[in-house]
Amino acid sequence: MATAYVSHPLYWAHNQPGHPESPERLEHIGMALDASGMRQRIQLLEPQPISLDRLSRVHVPGYVQSIEQIARRGGGGLMGRGDETYVAPDSYEAMLLASGGLDTALEAVLRGDFKNAFALVRPPGHHAFGNHGEGFCLINNVAIAAATARHDLNIDRVLIVDFDVHHGNGTQAIFYDDPSVLFFSTQQWGIYPGTGHWSETGRGKGAGYTVNVPLIAGWGDVMVARIFDDLLTPIARRFKPQLILVSAGYDPHWTDRLGSMTVSDLGFFNLTRKLVALSDELCAGRLVLTLEGGYGLEGLAYGVVATFAALLGDESFVDPVGPSPRAERPADEKYLDQLRALHGLP
Ligand SMILES: [Zn+2]
């Protein structure tokens, strides 16, 4: 069965010149999809805007209206905690179509039209909370999709995997006391937003359904693979998700200036293969990804190509950007053991 992707010109319209979260990100992804021949192997899905009903499951109406007002006034920054996050004149429509694009992909996969799908949307979402945006994110696309799956699509248990170099603090907060959504997140420790410590594991009925793996600068392909094998895989088997959603951020790439990890595009290929295998084993292959960060343009672009190669079932990937010239920090067995014990794994 085929792999789908979502794209739309409005995703380019969210723009503030000089900002790292730029339309050039999608431009480079598009060039890499063409240059690699990948675009011929995947099928384009036309996104539909998110409905206000679905949006309001995650976000308070007053916050959504404030974004619309800033956009109608010609754009500007979010107030308060989100002042690094901009709203351009077309950002309101772009964000509705970004969230809607992920829901379009989700519905297509759950209908069985496609094996899996990747929504190449902007603006990204995983730092958006119910009542405010920050970290370049306006509304939380992956959280809205998880809520759609739960409420409209007969899914009882959703696994969200977030491999962006920054902690998905908004996603975590939205589902922190919800045992129906297991949030598994890797992030570099000590950078924005400062949360995502391993001791953050959920609250109330959601206790144990948030798993954070903070990363030390310099770790890369080997350690990330070990985290997916030794932690994510057994935790996912225990949870038995009916759907896997992924916040796919490519800023752990060694070329990215917002992080200090040493992941390569071959590393992204291998970790996506693990996600495909998990979804095949646990939930009939139902795997839907959405684009989050990634600011080193070549590393990002070929990371996305590598992800599609894995989604299509390719067994190998030639990484044109190559491995990190910096030596990768060795995997830490003791740390993996400690995290396994914390989460009750044998
Ligand atoms: Zn990021």
Side-chain angles (χ1 to χ4, degrees):
M1 237 192 326
T3 292
Y5 74 109
V6 174
S7 183
H8 193 279
L10 254 183
Y11 300 153
W12 273 252
H14 173 69
N15 184 21
Q16 177 177 279
H19 197 285
E21 205 293 280
S22 68
E24 284 74 41
R25 300 177 60 230
L26 293 182
E27 209 171 297
H28 279 255
I29 290 170
M31 289 189 294
L33 289 175
D34 289 331
S36 62
M38 182 55 74
R39 200 188 293 275
Q40 276 72 53
R41 304 180 58 201
I42 54 181
Q43 292 187 36
L44 178 63
L45 271 178
E46 180 78 14
Q48 298 299 314
I50 198 75
S51 70
L52 292 180
D53 275 354
R54 286 185 175 182
L55 195 50
S56 66
R57 291 198 183 116
V58 165
H59 294 285
V60 298
Y63 168 59
V64 174
Q65 286 157 11
S66 74
I67 300 172
E68 185 176 16
Q69 283 162 6
I70 296 170
R72 299 284 175 261
R73 286 202 307 265
L78 287 183
M79 303 301 159
R81 283 162 69 182
D83 59 1
E84 72 292 338
T85 307
Y86 64 89
V87 180
D90 291 323
S91 293
Y92 181 71
E93 279 72 25
M95 89 180 186
L96 297 181
L97 204 63
S99 172
L102 177 56
D103 266 26
T104 301
L106 169 67
E107 290 179 296
V109 168
L110 288 185
R111 269 198 313 271
D113 296 353
F114 297 93
K115 178 169 194 286
N116 47 39
F118 192 174
L120 299 176
V121 302
R122 292 180 58 253
H126 70 152
H127 299 306
F129 289 69
N131 59 3
H132 80 275
E134 57 174 73
F136 317 162
C137 298
L138 297 176
I139 57 173
N140 197 313
N141 306 321
V142 79
I144 294 165
T148 296
R150 289 276 295 107
H151 294 278
D152 297 336
L153 302 172
N154 282 319
I155 295 289
D156 296 324
R157 290 180 307 283
V158 182
L159 169 63
I160 300 177
V161 178
D162 186 326
F163 61 77
D164 193 280
V165 83
H166 304 100
H167 181 229
N169 52 341
T171 311
Q172 171 171 304
I174 289 161
F175 299 114
Y176 207 52
D177 50 15
D178 185 346
S180 69
V181 178
L182 195 154
F183 180 58
F184 184 101
S185 184
T186 54
Q187 52 274 339
Q188 186 180 333
W189 187 244
I191 61 171
Y192 173 86
T195 50
H197 192 264
W198 49 260
S199 61
E200 298 165 31
T201 57
R203 177 180 57 209
K205 284 186 179 164
Y209 294 91
T210 293
V211 179
N212 278 296
V213 186
L215 305 173
I216 297 173
W219 274 338
D221 295 351
V222 173
M223 185 59 174
V224 170
R226 289 294 305 277
I227 289 164
F228 273 49
D229 286 342
D230 293 11
L231 290 165
L232 174 62
T233 297
I235 286 168
R237 284 178 178 149
R238 185 169 67 188
F239 180 62
K240 300 183 174 63
Q242 295 159 312
L243 165 70
I244 301 177
L245 296 175
V246 181
S247 276
Y250 295 86
D251 35 18
H253 193 269
W254 62 268
T255 59
D256 201 290
R257 292 182 180 187
L258 272 64
S260 312
M261 310 308 296
T262 57
V263 176
S264 70
D265 287 334
L266 183 59
F268 290 122
F269 173 76
N270 287 325
L271 74 85
T272 309
R273 272 171 62 86
K274 293 178 192 299
L275 294 170
V276 170
L278 265 184
S279 67
D280 284 341
E281 175 188 333
L282 299 173
C283 50
R286 292 192 288 255
L287 177 63
V288 183
L289 295 83
T290 190
L291 183 65
E292 301 284 2
Y295 307 95
L297 295 175
E298 288 304 288
L300 162 69
Y302 282 94
V304 169
V305 173
T307 298
F308 278 117
L311 292 176
L312 287 162
D314 290 4
E315 296 196 346
S316 63
F317 176 73
V318 178
D319 176 357
V321 185
S324 171
R326 306 192 302 276
E328 179 177 342
R329 187 185 184 94
D332 185 337
E333 301 296 333
K334 209 171 133 196
Y335 184 58
L336 288 165
D337 286 346
Q338 283 168 347
L339 286 173
R340 288 174 61 86
L342 175 71
H343 291 285
L345 299 169

